[in-house]
Amino acid sequence: MTFFTIHIAADIEHGEKGFEIVEKYATTDAERATCVRIVREATMMRRLYLDGVYRTFIEKGQAAKKLAA
């Protein structure tokens, strides 16, 4: 939980910096579209990673508790 608490504020700041970079360097529609595609892909990768963390540490822990009961 500490990880997520700390990173909430950092993610807001990082997101703003990302927009500034895109506005400065992605000067064509094609470049902006590429940036959006890459962010979508990265977001999906992060989501899959967090889903894996959840399955490994939460679901398995809950299943083990049920078996022990």
Side-chain angles (χ1 to χ4, degrees):
M1 292 307 298
T2 302
F3 170 85
F4 295 106
T5 303
I6 292 170
H7 283 83
I8 288 171
D11 287 344
I12 293 169
E13 181 181 336
H14 291 154
E16 289 298 320
K17 294 294 182 190
F19 282 121
E20 290 173 14
I21 292 167
V22 170
E23 288 174 346
K24 182 175 182 178
Y25 295 106
T27 58
T28 68
D29 288 340
E31 290 172 339
R32 287 187 285 276
T34 299
C35 291
V36 170
R37 180 184 54 78
I38 290 169
V39 168
R40 282 188 179 137
E41 290 174 7
T43 301
M44 182 54 70
M45 288 180 208
R46 183 177 175 110
R47 173 71 185 263
L48 292 170
Y49 162 75
L50 293 173
D51 286 350
V53 169
Y54 177 82
R55 282 191 303 275
T56 299
F57 295 103
I58 305 300
E59 286 181 352
K60 286 184 181 179
Q62 291 172 350
K65 286 180 184 177
K66 287 179 183 179
L67 289 174

